């Protein structure tokens, strides 16, 4: 985290301002990752109007960085409507996605709306390992293709990996993959991943020390 | 006679007021800026329609003990700097609303 961001975060804390928030738009997902803490059941979702109202409340409360996560955010049919609304409220938006549903058109649209970064979950450079973790055959190729679409449109892409027994030996190679594809990458122990899910966040460029 | 200068916030940035400061993140390179209280007033008033000179006279000089000429000079310097970073648009003509953040459009 930069010194300036540290100063800003300290000031926000002092003022009681929720500077950075994560909003999980859905429980639904098109992957079935073995490590995931969600059950993928449809527990009901906030409506578009409810989410817009929430975004207005967050903006009024001073929230600046908005991470949109899930479930898989692009499974919501109103995803772009929500994204455009958030940008209209001048949030600094970060997306967390498996990117399976991002093709050329979606990448172009994300670029036109303007987001700070897109974080894509990649668990291994080897399809048999990544796909066995997501339980979706072909998911690695889809996600990597999506990263290329996003990079083509000049978007900042962050590869997120969760360290597990299944993939820990391939992590160094995954690091080289991100060097070719993305802007940066991070490997997160599953416990930290869970920690983010309860609403805290950090700068993915500089995850907190153990 | 001085030229009129119009200023408008870029639609490609994220921004939020934090206390008396304004946080701005560039959509170009994710650089974070903070504007102090006076600069934040100019930023919030930068709608592309009100000339910078009017912003300075009506919103700065009316609140702070500063000579209009000195305030205008500082404001132009600020506007130039923000423009170089791509977060503020400058023009000698009023700036189209299509360039502004969505919630500012009429």
């Amino acid at each position: 985290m930069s010194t300036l961001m540290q100063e800003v975060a300290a000031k926000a804390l002092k003022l009681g301002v929720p500077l950075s928030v994560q909003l999980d738009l859905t429980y639904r997902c098109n992957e079935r990752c073995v490590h995931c803490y969600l059950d993928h059941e449809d527990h009901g979702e906030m409506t578009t109007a409810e989410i817009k109202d929430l975004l207005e409340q967050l903006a009024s409360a001073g929230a600046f960085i908005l991470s949109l996560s899930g479930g898989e955010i692009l499974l919501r049919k109103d995803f772009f409507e929500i994204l455009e609304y958030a940008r209209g409220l001048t949030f600094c938006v970060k997306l967390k996605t498996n990117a399976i549903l991002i093709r050329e058109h979606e990448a172009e649209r994300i670029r036109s709306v303007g987001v700070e970064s897109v974080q894509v979950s990649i668990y291994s450079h080897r399809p048999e390992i990544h796909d066995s973790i997501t339980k979706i055959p072909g998911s690695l190729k889809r996600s990597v293709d999506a990263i290329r679409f996003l990079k083509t449109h000049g978007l900042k892409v962050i590869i997120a990996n969760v360290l597990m027994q299944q993939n820990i030996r391939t992590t160094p190679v995954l690091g080289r993959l991100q060097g070719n594809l993305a802007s940066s990458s991070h490997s997160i122990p599953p416990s930290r991943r869970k920690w983010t899910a309860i609403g805290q966040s950090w700068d993915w460029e500089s995850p907190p020390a153990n | 006679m001085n030229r009129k200068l119009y200023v408008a916030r870029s639609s490609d940035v994220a921004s939020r007021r934090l206390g008396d400061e304004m946080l701005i993140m560039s959509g170009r390179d994710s650089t974070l800026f903070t504007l102090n209280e006076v600069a934040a007033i100019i930023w919030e008033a930068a709608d592309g329609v009100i000339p910078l000179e009017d912003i300075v006279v009506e919103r700065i000089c009316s609140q702070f003990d500063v000579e209009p000429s000195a305030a205008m000079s500082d404001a132009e310097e600020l506007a130039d700097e923000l423009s170089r970073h791509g977060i503020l648009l400058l023009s000698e003509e009023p700036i189209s609303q299509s360039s502004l953040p969505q919630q500012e459009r009429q």
Side-chain angles (χ1 to χ4, degrees):
Chain A
M1 189 183 292
S2 69
T3 302
L4 179 57
M5 184 53 94
Q6 285 176 323
E7 291 175 8
V8 167
K11 182 172 183 178
L13 186 63
K14 187 177 179 182
L15 293 173
V17 170
L19 188 68
S20 178
V21 298
Q22 175 167 312
L23 177 57
D24 289 352
L25 296 176
T26 180
Y27 290 103
R28 291 177 289 135
C29 191
N30 46 7
E31 290 184 338
R32 290 292 182 271
C33 298
V34 295
H35 59 283
C36 188
Y37 47 84
L38 295 178
D39 60 13
H40 306 107
E41 296 295 326
D42 185 354
H43 296 284
E45 297 175 358
M46 296 174 74
T47 66
T48 309
E50 287 171 335
I51 287 178
K52 287 181 177 179
D53 181 62
L54 177 59
L55 291 174
E56 288 175 8
Q57 292 181 50
L58 289 169
S60 296
F64 179 51
I65 297 169
L66 174 70
S67 297
L68 295 179
S69 186
E72 171 48 45
I73 52 178
L74 279 114
L75 284 177
R76 280 195 70 121
K77 294 188 186 305
D78 58 358
F79 168 71
F80 280 103
E81 183 177 352
I82 292 169
L83 176 60
E84 287 166 1
Y85 199 79
R87 284 294 296 126
L89 293 168
T90 67
F91 280 105
C92 171
V93 178
K94 302 183 179 196
L95 304 181
K96 296 180 180 180
T97 174
N98 59 39
I100 280 183
L101 296 176
I102 295 177
R103 303 289 90 185
E104 175 75 30
H105 172 71
E106 289 77 17
E108 192 281 330
R109 200 164 173 193
I110 290 170
R111 176 65 194 96
S112 69
V113 177
V115 302
E116 195 276 333
S117 61
V118 182
Q119 179 184 304
V120 180
S121 300
I122 301 286
Y123 305 115
S124 172
H125 68 289
R126 291 170 56 182
E128 66 273 22
I129 294 177
H130 176 92
D131 294 358
S132 71
I133 291 173
T134 64
K135 298 184 182 175
I136 302 296
S139 58
L140 175 63
K141 183 179 187 313
R142 292 279 299 189
S143 294
V144 169
D145 286 349
I147 290 173
R148 292 200 172 98
F149 288 131
L150 292 164
K151 294 296 291 181
T152 297
H153 285 279
L155 285 152
K156 177 180 172 185
V157 177
I158 298 169
I159 287 180
N161 179 24
V162 178
L163 298 179
M164 293 171 276
Q165 286 183 333
Q166 295 94 322
N167 67 359
I168 195 159
R169 293 189 180 191
T170 67
T171 297
V173 184
L174 182 60
R176 292 203 293 275
L177 176 70
Q178 71 84 20
N180 293 327
L181 287 176
S183 306
S184 62
S185 73
H186 291 298
S187 296
I188 317 151
S191 58
R192 281 201 191 167
R193 179 78 178 214
K194 194 168 185 176
W195 186 65
T196 65
I198 59 175
Q200 299 187 49
S201 64
W202 65 79
D203 182 351
W204 286 90
E205 299 283 357
S206 308
N210 286 326
Chain B
M1 182 176 173
N2 287 342
R3 63 191 174 117
K4 279 200 184 284
L5 187 64
Y6 294 86
V7 290
R9 300 177 296 279
S10 167
S11 61
D12 198 28
V13 302
S15 62
R16 189 72 73 232
R17 181 171 271 279
L18 180 64
D20 56 3
E21 294 182 326
M22 180 64 66
L23 308 179
I24 302 169
M25 186 170 284
S26 166
R28 181 191 293 174
D29 55 11
S30 298
T31 303
L32 180 67
F33 301 85
T34 60
L35 304 184
N36 67 17
E37 183 180 4
V38 179
I41 292 172
I42 293 173
W43 173 265
E44 288 182 322
D47 62 358
V49 177
I50 305 172
L52 181 61
E53 186 176 10
D54 291 358
I55 295 172
V56 169
V57 170
E58 295 170 10
R59 307 196 187 198
I60 305 296
C61 295
S62 63
Q63 293 187 52
F64 300 90
D65 184 18
V66 59
E67 288 293 324
S69 60
M72 189 61 197
S73 175
D74 288 349
E76 287 183 334
E77 188 178 331
L78 171 75
D80 283 339
E81 184 178 350
L82 297 184
S83 174
R84 283 197 297 275
H85 288 289
I87 62 178
L88 192 73
L89 310 178
L90 304 185
S91 174
E92 294 185 10
E93 302 290 333
I95 297 169
S96 164
Q97 297 210 340
S98 63
S99 303
L100 303 179
Q102 194 172 313
Q103 83 279 14
E104 296 295 331
R105 299 174 199 166
Q106 301 298 315

